[in-house]
Amino acid sequence: MEDDAPVIYGLEFQARSLTAQTAETDAIRFLVGTQSLKFDNQIHIIDFDDENNIINKNVLLHQAGEIWHIGGSPADKSVLTTCYNKTSDCKVTGCAAVWRMPAEWESGSHDSPDDSSNNPQTLELLCHLDNTAHGNMACVLWEPMGDGKRLISLADNHVLLWDLQESSTKAVISSSATLEGKGQLKFTSGKWSPHHNCTQLATANDTAIRGWDLRSMSQIYCIENAHGQLVRDLDFNPNKQYYLASCGDDCKVKFWDVRNIGEPVKTLEEHSHWVWSVRYNHSHDQLVLTGSSDSRVILSNMVSISSEPFGHLVDEDDLSDTEENNQEEKSKEPLHDSIISTYEEHEDSVYAVEWSSADPWLFASLSYDGRLVINRVPRALKYRILL
């Protein structure tokens, strides 16, 4: 029974990292990483059973430290990366590692939901992305649609391209680039483009967005003051190779055509505080999710800059004369952008929003107090897009 009501799950810990499990296309599964200074940190594997509208969870221990970023391998659903803080001698270091989920975790009983949290298993370390020479890790990106053997890490002002070898137990830096300039240059986030044969990367540092060619490790564009304050997140349109979304501390979400970086193509100003996360829907790129410190998640219909600005293309042979005339009238008018829905189930900063890899109409959002909310695109809109 499909229902538009949200489903809410509370972790016992604060949390800010969330990812959909990309390699899992059958089950609706999200991974959440916790941030606790007192207790062992955990990865919560959240399976959503959409027939019964319930969440099943499994817990794995991540004893290395509090998790700031999490990413799933595109090729192997048992492999993931985390960026975490390690404290030693009163010094905090941002580290990153590749992990494997223990083979037995799925055999944990779903019937008793607390089973795995009472006696959780531990993640198996495959390798560290050793960055002692390169400063603190901000995030690790898997090559989109790749074979799970290439990663990029952003550490302070360095872009590092890694090859995973020997069944991911060894990581070797294959090339790198350094952001030169005045002041404290630190990457806050980045996105590996799924276009151009995966040879391009976009990064955010301070108020700037930069494009990189990974073959030469050189900059290809720079939007100097993309936002009035810090840029927090980026995402590429999955269907339009030059289109990029960004969000930041100026409360804005901006959409760019990187061939013409003078002005954004579109700007959204619906949030009232920092915007931490922006995500395009993987199948229907007019659907854009954002999450903010105003505790809200906003679903926007950015149809005018989508790959179908006039709605669905209709086969003319199937239309009668009157319909054809109507269709011609319609096709001259691009559809209007709108806010589809504002979700208010959170009471704390929403640090992450993610679309499911298995169901294009379903998404999750995570706020700092450990509340995970699963929502669906409203049914009426879903049918309007499909029909």
Side-chain angles (χ1 to χ4, degrees):
M1 159 57 193
E2 194 175 297
D3 179 14
D4 283 346
V7 179
I8 298 174
Y9 167 68
L11 288 81
E12 305 89 83
F13 300 115
Q14 292 175 325
R16 66 194 303 152
S17 55
L18 165 73
T19 189
Q21 196 178 28
T22 343
E24 176 57 84
T25 49
D26 298 331
I28 296 168
R29 181 175 296 154
F30 296 95
L31 308 177
V32 182
T34 66
Q35 286 205 320
S36 167
L37 289 169
K38 291 189 191 138
F39 303 99
D40 276 342
N41 281 281
Q42 303 174 343
I43 300 248
H44 288 231
I45 303 167
I46 306 294
D47 278 290
F48 181 61
D49 169 353
D50 60 340
E51 283 191 11
N52 301 305
N53 231 31
I54 54 170
I55 281 173
N56 296 307
K57 66 148 188 186
N58 281 280
V59 175
L60 297 173
L61 286 182
H62 178 280
Q63 287 155 324
E66 27 167 20
I67 304 166
W68 287 82
H69 186 269
I70 183 170
S73 160
D76 183 340
K77 60 185 184 185
S78 66
V79 173
L80 63 140
T81 50
T82 61
C83 295
Y84 58 91
N85 275 359
K86 188 174 83 181
T87 312
S88 55
D89 307 330
C90 301
K91 188 168 172 275
V92 178
T93 321
C95 303
V98 184
W99 308 89
R100 188 188 299 286
M101 299 176 185
E104 317 76 62
W105 80 263
E106 284 202 77
S107 57
S109 153
H110 275 323
D111 307 332
S112 95
D114 295 325
D115 197 36
S116 72
S117 43
N118 289 342
N119 191 10
Q121 295 173 302
T122 302
L123 283 167
E124 173 198 340
L125 176 69
L126 289 175
C127 63
H128 288 286
L129 299 179
D130 182 24
N131 62 318
T132 34
H134 298 104
N136 291 305
M137 288 284 186
C139 65
V140 172
L141 313 167
W142 291 90
E143 181 177 30
M145 289 106 56
D147 56 4
K149 292 193 167 51
R150 290 176 82 212
L151 294 167
I152 287 173
S153 68
L154 300 178
D156 281 354
N157 60 332
H158 301 281
V159 180
L160 307 172
L161 189 55
W162 301 82
D163 285 330
L164 291 181
Q165 299 169 355
E166 295 165 32
S167 309
S168 304
T169 56
K170 185 178 171 193
V172 177
I173 295 175
S174 60
S175 54
S176 64
T178 304
L179 185 57
E180 306 288 358
K182 295 189 192 74
Q184 276 284 65
L185 294 170
K186 275 189 183 176
F187 291 116
T188 45
S189 68
K191 211 62 183 213
W192 196 328
S193 170
H195 309 294
H196 315 287
N197 293 328
C198 298
T199 57
Q200 292 189 12
L201 165 76
T203 59
N205 73 287
D206 200 20
T207 60
I209 297 170
R210 291 162 206 277
W212 303 80
D213 184 325
L214 296 170
R215 294 163 299 188
S216 57
M217 285 313 246
S218 56
Q219 277 187 52
I220 42 182
Y221 58 83
C222 175
I223 311 171
E224 280 292 355
N225 289 300
H227 285 262
Q229 295 175 47
L230 193 69
V231 182
R232 291 280 174 191
D233 198 21
L234 305 167
D235 200 23
F236 281 98
N237 183 318
N239 301 322
K240 293 182 79 172
Q241 57 182 344
Y242 298 107
Y243 275 61
L244 174 71
S246 64
C247 61
D249 285 2
D250 57 1
C251 315
K252 292 176 183 169
V253 180
K254 296 187 179 186
F255 298 88
W256 306 90
D257 178 339
V258 300
R259 294 166 300 183
N260 178 16
I261 55 177
E263 286 292 320
V265 186
K266 201 96 191 173
T267 301
L268 280 179
E269 304 189 37
E270 297 296 326
H271 284 289
S272 57
H273 209 283
W274 306 336
V275 188
W276 285 90
S277 188
V278 59
R279 289 289 177 273
Y280 277 104
N281 185 291
H282 312 304
S283 310
H284 308 284
D285 57 272
Q286 69 261 49
L287 301 177
V288 178
L289 276 177
T290 51
S292 159
S293 289
D294 63 11
S295 310
R296 294 183 307 157
V297 172
I298 294 179
L299 175 60
S300 304
N301 192 10
M302 302 307 294
V303 69
S304 74
I305 52 171
S306 74
S307 52
E308 292 180 344
F310 300 97
H312 261 305
L313 301 171
V314 180
D315 189 346
E316 287 173 8
D317 298 343
D318 300 340
L319 296 175
S320 67
D321 287 350
T322 49
E323 279 181 319
E324 209 164 304
N325 291 339
N326 289 345
Q327 198 63 28
E328 274 176 26
E329 289 301 304
K330 261 194 210 160
S331 66
K332 294 188 188 104
E333 249 330 276
L335 300 171
H336 291 299
D337 298 337
S338 60
I339 299 300
I340 297 159
S341 207
T342 299
Y343 299 89
E344 313 245 355
E345 289 90 21
H346 292 283
E347 293 167 24
D348 204 342
S349 287
V350 179
Y351 282 138
V353 288
E354 289 289 348
W355 292 98
S356 159
S357 307
D359 179 341
W361 308 105
L362 194 127
F363 59 90
S365 52
L366 176 70
S367 51
Y368 189 52
D369 54 8
R371 181 177 298 181
L372 180 88
V373 180
I374 291 180
N375 266 301
R376 292 186 183 86
V377 173
R379 243 177 308 185
L381 177 75
K382 170 178 166 177
Y383 294 130
R384 205 157 70 232
I385 290 173
L386 285 179
L387 301 176

